[in-house]
Amino acid sequence: MGEILSDLLPFALTIAISPVPIIAVILMLLAPKAGGAGTGFLVGWVAGIVVATGVLIVVANAIGLASARGQPSAGASWIKLLLGLALLAMALKQWKSRPKPGQSAELPGWMRAVDKVTPAKAATLGLLLSAVNPKNLMMCVAAGVAIAAGDLSGAQETVLLVLFTVLAACSVAVPVIVYATNATRVRAPLDRLKGWLQQNNATVMFVLLLVMGVVLAGKGVGGLM
């Protein structure tokens, strides 16, 4: 389990460090309906990670992505290779979308209205961003394949799923928890963090996707050799 957990760490951190959900939850926390919307978003975010990764574990086990020796099968290696190449393509797209020197990055149209969403809509948004967003979905696929390839018991797979979810969701959970403890004091720091993430979103995502693309493609090639 320890070896598989180490394989899951970069996937979880890639989800956790994604600027978009952090910006979204900060906007909700700074809005009049902060508590309900922020908590709703966190619930949806966690649910999306659990559902997406859990389904992939079940599917990967069903199609037999672990060999008899508990090593990744050729199928698992091909999946990692293809995911790695897809992430590298997404990294190139992020690099090209960086704001030019002196130019301010703009929020996507849908994000400009997140400070007005209800808790139910915030939960739905969190679910979609974590489970349907292509980059996050790729990380959940990679995590599901890694867990299934370990040839573990159901209980062990459940523990790894929980640990993966906690790590992946921590960047959204921390602002919500901190805001709940001292809303007045953390408003200014959260606002500054939002501004930095908004301006550097493309660069942060480029680095994350590039690193994870190389790691996954390398694991895929290594497993096929």
Side-chain angles (χ1 to χ4, degrees):
M1 280 184 63
E3 182 178 350
I4 298 174
L5 181 59
S6 66
D7 289 339
L8 295 178
L9 284 176
F11 307 144
L13 291 177
T14 300
I15 295 177
I17 302 174
S18 301
V20 169
I22 302 175
I23 294 173
V25 78
I26 290 176
L27 287 172
M28 293 177 191
L29 292 173
L30 297 178
K33 298 179 181 179
T39 302
F41 185 84
L42 174 60
V43 170
W45 182 254
V46 170
I49 295 172
V50 171
V51 170
T53 310
V55 168
L56 263 300
I57 293 173
V58 173
V59 172
N61 279 324
I63 62 179
L65 289 185
S67 70
R69 295 170 297 173
Q71 297 299 320
S73 65
S77 297
W78 275 111
I79 291 174
K80 291 177 182 178
L81 175 58
L82 293 175
L83 287 174
L85 295 176
L87 288 173
L88 290 175
M90 293 174 68
L92 179 60
K93 183 178 179 181
Q94 287 290 333
W95 180 258
K96 292 180 177 179
S97 69
R98 290 174 306 144
K100 295 179 176 60
Q103 181 182 14
S104 297
E106 294 186 1
L107 291 173
W110 64 266
M111 194 178 285
R112 295 171 193 155
V114 297
D115 59 343
K116 300 182 180 71
V117 298
T118 63
K121 290 182 178 179
T124 302
L125 178 60
L127 180 66
L128 293 175
L129 283 178
S130 62
V132 181
N133 176 277
K135 185 268 299 177
N136 281 4
L137 185 57
M138 288 183 189
M139 293 299 98
C140 291
V141 170
V145 170
I147 293 173
D151 197 24
L152 304 171
S153 67
Q156 290 174 316
E157 290 182 343
T158 300
V159 170
L160 288 173
L161 174 59
V162 170
L163 292 174
F164 173 75
T165 302
V166 170
L167 291 171
C170 66
S171 60
V172 173
V174 168
V176 174
I177 296 171
V178 171
Y179 189 90
T181 59
N182 196 334
T184 304
R185 188 173 182 179
V186 301
R187 287 183 69 87
L190 286 178
D191 193 45
R192 289 194 296 269
L193 176 60
K194 175 189 72 69
W196 187 89
L197 290 172
Q198 178 182 335
Q199 186 63 28
N200 296 280
N201 173 47
T203 302
V204 172
M205 288 308 304
F206 165 73
V207 174
L208 285 175
L209 294 173
L210 178 64
V211 171
M212 286 311 306
V214 171
V215 169
L216 275 174
K219 286 181 176 292
V221 171
L224 292 171
M225 294 180 63

